[in-house]
Amino acid sequence: MEKSSSNENQPLTSKKELLDCTEGEDCKENGLLVKNPKSALQLVEDGNKVHPSQGDKGEAGQISNGYSVVQNPVPCDGIADGEDVQCMAPAATTTTTSTTCGMEAQPQLLEPEERETWSKKMDFLLSVIGYAVDLGNIWRFPYICYQNGGGAFLIPYTIMAIFGGIPLFYMELALGQYHRNGCISVWRKICPIFKGIGFTICIIALYIASYYNTIMAWALYYLISSFTVELPWISCKNAWNTGNCTNYFINASITWTPHSISPAEEFYTRHVLQVQRSKGLDDLGGISWQLTLCLLLIFTIVYFSIWKGVKTSGKVVWVTATFPYIILFILLVRGATLPGAWRGVVFYLKPDWQKLLATEVWVDAAAQIFFSLGPGFGVLLAFASYNKFHNNCYQDALVTSTVNCMTSFVSGFVIFTVLGYMAEMRNEEVSEVAKDTGPSLLFITYAEAIANMPASTFFAIIFFLMLLTLGLDSTFAGLEGVITAVLDEFPHVWGKRREWFVLGLIIACFLGSLTTLTFGGAYVVKLFEEYATGPAVLTVVFLESIAVAWFYGINQFCSDMKEMLGFTPGWYWRLCWVAISPIFLLFIICSFMSSTPDLRLFDYNYPYWTTIVGYCIGTSSVICIPIYMAYRLIITPGTFKERILKSITPETATEIPFGDIRMNAV
C-alpha cells in the first residue's frame, strides 16, 4: 500500500482493518486525534447504551460532531487485508477511522459535515438585531411607555434592562456559542433532566408562527391596497362603509362624536378582517381567500430565505434588518414636520413620577424589556451556535441589546408625532386618540394619519413594507430556532434533508394558521398573543437560568466563557445570573399569574371559557418539562439518588477548538 505523510486521501469508510502496533498501548497514550465517522449526536451504535459522563477523563470522550481525543501513536506498521499500513504521524491534523491497536476496527457510519458558520460577523449581528427588533417595538413600547408615566417609565425600563434583560440575553448567546447546539440537544451538555425545555421552546415557536405571520398577511394586504392614487381607507364611499363612517379630514366642519368611526377603522375591521361576518370565537365564519393568498406568499418568501441555512438567511437580513431603519428615519422626519406633532411628543415623554410607586409599572417594564430582547425562544442559542468559537459574544450582546432598546425609544417618536397630528386634526386630546393598542395602532390610527398626508401613497407603501420586513426577520429567526434544534437532535434523520424538513415545517405552520384566516381570525390572534407565549416563555427562561447557574454551576459556566472569550465574567454578571435575573423572572411570572387578563377586541368581549382555553394553550407547551423529567428518571438505571445525580450530570462533552484540532471539554 502506498505510504503518505497525511491521511487526507484515506477514505472515511474503510474495510475492517487489523492493526498491530509495535508498542501495544502506545496508540492510546500519546495524543492522536481520530475522527469517529459516526454522528456524535448518536453516541452509541444502537442509541440505547448509557452515555459516558462528561467527567470521565480516563477514556476518550466523544464530542458534538464526532471527534474523539486519544493519544498520539508512535509510528507503527500494521496489516490490513494483506497490505502494509502506516499509522498517522503525530503532526497530522486531519482525521482517520477510529481504531484500536491490536484490535479489529469496528465498522462505522459516515461523518456528517462540519457545522455551518456565518459567512460574516455582520450576518450574525443583523440577524440578531432583526430578530429582536420586531413589530412589538413599533406598537407595544410606545403604548406601554405613555400608559406608565411617559418619561418616568424609562427609569424602571433601564433598571430592568441592566439587571434582567441584558444578562439573560448575554447568557443565551454564550451558551449557544460555547456548546454549538440547538435548544434541545444543548441540554445533554448542561443538565440533561431539563431537556424538556427544548421541546417546550419548539412548541411555543410553532404557536407564534401560527398567528404572527397572519399579522404580516394583514400588512401585505395593506401594501397591495396602497398601490392606488387614492388610498382605499381615506373615504366613506366604499361598499364596506356604514352610516357611522366619519371623515373629518375632508370636511373640517364635521364633529367627531362617540359613535363616529373613521374610514381607516372600517377598512381594517370590515374589509380586511371582515369581523362583521363572525359572531366570535364560537362562530369564526369562513376563511378569507384574500388573506390566505397573502399568507401563502409570506410563507413562500420565508421558505426560500431559510431553506439552505444561515448562509442564505444571513444575506437576506442585510435587506430586511436595515430597511426598517431607513423607513423609521424617513417617517420620523415626516412626523416631526406635521402640525401638532409636539403635542404627541410631550404626551409621550412627560413624566408622571407618581407612577413609579405602582407595582404594575415595574412589571410592565420588566415584561417589555424581556419580550423585546427575546431570550427563551431558542433563537439566540441557534444563531450563536453558528458563530466561530472565539467570537466576542459579550460585545455582541451589549451592541445588539442597546440597538434594540434605542429602536424602541425612537419608534415612540415616530408613533407619537403622528398621534399628536391626529389629535390636532380631531381637536381632541392625545389620550383620546391613543386609545388603540397592538395591531390597531398601526392598521387604524397610523394608517389613517398616513392617508391624510401629502404623498400618502408613497408613505403608505414604505410604512407597510417596513412592517413586512420587521415581521420577516422575526419569522426567519423563530423558525431557525426550531430547525436548528431538530437537526441537531436528529442529525441521522434530517442532517442531509434540511430542505425537506423546512418545507414540512412551513406547511405545518401554514395549516396551523388557517383559524387565524377566518372572519373571526383576529379574535384567535388576540387569544394566542395573550396566552401562548407570555407565561410559558417566562417559565422557560426562569428554569433555564436556574439550570445553568445552579445545576451546571456558575463557576463552570464562567470557566467555559473564559476558555471561549479569554476573560472571566465579573461579579456583576455572576450576581445577575445566580440571583437577580431569576428573581426578576419570578416576579414577572407571579404578576402574570395573579391577574387574569380581561380580553376585549373591538366590540367583542371574550367569554369566560376562553380563559380556560387560553391557560390550556399555555400549559400545553410547558407540560413538556415535567413530562421529560419524569421520563428521564424512569429510564435511568440505579437507585433514586443515582438517577437524580445522573440526570443532572452533563452526559456529552463539549467540543473545544484547539487550532485545527477540536478537543473535548472534560
Side-chain angles (χ1 to χ4, degrees), residues 234-519:
I234 199 173
S235 71
C236 294
K237 300 177 181 179
N238 303 291
W240 57 82
N241 293 125
T242 66
N244 290 326
C245 184
T246 305
N247 192 344
Y248 55 89
F249 282 95
I250 294 178
N251 190 346
S253 63
I254 293 179
T255 303
W256 187 263
T257 68
H259 300 289
S260 297
I261 302 176
S262 68
E265 181 176 350
E266 291 200 341
F267 178 80
Y268 176 56
T269 59
R270 297 181 60 83
H271 181 64
V272 178
L273 303 181
Q274 302 182 63
V275 294
Q276 76 278 6
R277 302 175 66 178
S278 169
K279 296 179 181 179
L281 286 174
D282 51 352
D283 183 11
L284 294 174
I287 293 178
S288 170
W289 65 268
Q290 298 97 327
L291 293 180
T292 302
L293 291 178
C294 289
L295 186 63
L296 185 61
L297 180 57
I298 293 291
F299 275 123
T300 302
I301 295 172
V302 170
Y303 175 73
F304 286 106
S305 298
I306 65 175
W307 69 323
K308 290 293 186 182
V310 295
K311 289 190 182 298
T312 303
S313 61
K315 299 296 181 291
V316 177
V317 294
W318 280 82
V319 176
T320 57
T322 57
F323 181 76
Y325 287 95
I326 299 173
I327 305 306
L328 279 175
F329 178 75
I330 295 173
L331 294 175
L332 178 62
V333 173
R334 183 67 187 102
T337 60
L338 293 171
W342 63 273
R343 294 176 59 186
V345 174
V346 170
F347 184 80
Y348 174 45
L349 295 179
K350 184 180 179 180
D352 183 358
W353 302 110
Q354 292 297 320
K355 288 278 191 179
L356 296 181
L357 302 177
T359 305
E360 57 268 19
V361 173
W362 293 83
V363 173
D364 284 346
Q368 174 58 31
I369 189 64
F370 174 82
F371 288 114
S372 180
L373 291 176
F377 291 91
V379 174
L380 300 177
L381 279 171
F383 280 171
S385 73
Y386 297 111
N387 275 336
K388 299 287 192 289
F389 183 79
H390 295 292
N391 173 65
N392 192 344
C393 61
Y394 170 71
Q395 186 181 65
D396 296 344
L398 295 181
V399 169
T400 53
S401 56
T402 301
V403 169
N404 177 273
C405 295
M406 291 303 299
T407 303
S408 297
F409 182 65
V410 172
S411 297
F413 288 97
V414 174
I415 296 296
F416 275 92
T417 52
V418 171
L419 292 181
Y421 166 64
M422 295 278 292
E424 184 82 10
M425 299 303 294
R426 286 188 184 182
N427 197 25
E428 288 185 326
E429 293 297 323
V430 179
S431 58
E432 294 298 316
V433 178
K435 285 182 177 179
D436 290 326
T437 62
S440 297
L441 182 64
L442 304 179
F443 294 114
I444 297 178
T445 308
Y446 208 91
E448 182 179 0
I450 287 178
N452 292 279
M453 292 179 186
S456 58
T457 297
F458 169 73
F459 285 108
I461 291 173
I462 64 171
F463 176 71
F464 291 112
L465 198 56
M466 178 191 73
L467 296 186
L468 273 178
T469 55
L470 284 172
L472 284 172
D473 283 337
S474 299
T475 298
F476 296 161
L479 293 180
E480 185 59 52
V482 177
I483 295 165
T484 299
V486 174
L487 265 59
D488 284 349
E489 182 66 13
F490 307 105
H492 50 290
V493 178
W494 297 109
K496 300 294 185 180
R497 303 180 181 92
R498 178 187 169 99
E499 293 88 348
W500 289 106
F501 175 75
V502 175
L503 179 61
L505 181 64
I506 293 292
I507 293 174
C509 291
F510 178 78
L511 295 177
S513 303
L514 291 180
T515 56
T516 65
L517 299 173
T518 59
F519 301 135

Side-chain angles (χ1 to χ4, degrees), residues 515-591:
T515 56
T516 65
L517 299 173
T518 59
F519 301 135
Y523 305 134
V524 180
V525 170
K526 181 74 172 177
L527 185 68
F528 272 87
E529 193 177 16
E530 290 291 334
Y531 289 103
T533 56
V537 176
L538 291 169
T539 303
V540 162
V541 185
F542 173 71
L543 293 176
E544 182 180 298
S545 61
I546 293 296
V548 172
W550 292 93
F551 286 86
Y552 185 66
I554 191 64
N555 291 331
Q556 179 62 51
F557 181 54
C558 291
S559 174
D560 293 347
M561 296 184 68
K562 182 177 182 180
E563 195 167 16
M564 182 172 63
L565 302 178
F567 58 87
T568 303
W571 63 267
Y572 157 72
W573 297 106
R574 290 171 179 252
L575 185 61
C576 286
W577 289 326
V578 170
I580 297 179
S581 294
I583 293 173
F584 156 86
L585 290 165
L586 193 60
F587 173 62
I588 310 176
I589 293 171
C590 293
S591 300

Side-chain angles (χ1 to χ4, degrees), residues 125-134 317 320-321 469-470 472-474 477:
L125 291 177
L126 289 177
S127 294
V128 173
I129 291 172
Y131 158 68
V133 178
D134 65 350
V317 294
T320 57
T469 55
L470 284 172
L472 284 172
D473 283 337
S474 299

Side-chain angles (χ1 to χ4, degrees), residues 188 192-197 199 623-633 635 651:
R188 290 207 305 268
I193 200 171
F194 285 97
K195 191 175 180 180
I197 289 177
F199 296 107
I623 197 68
C624 293
I625 299 174
I627 287 177
Y628 185 83
M629 287 181 174
Y631 166 76
R632 181 82 193 187
L633 293 175
I635 66 169
E651 65 183 27

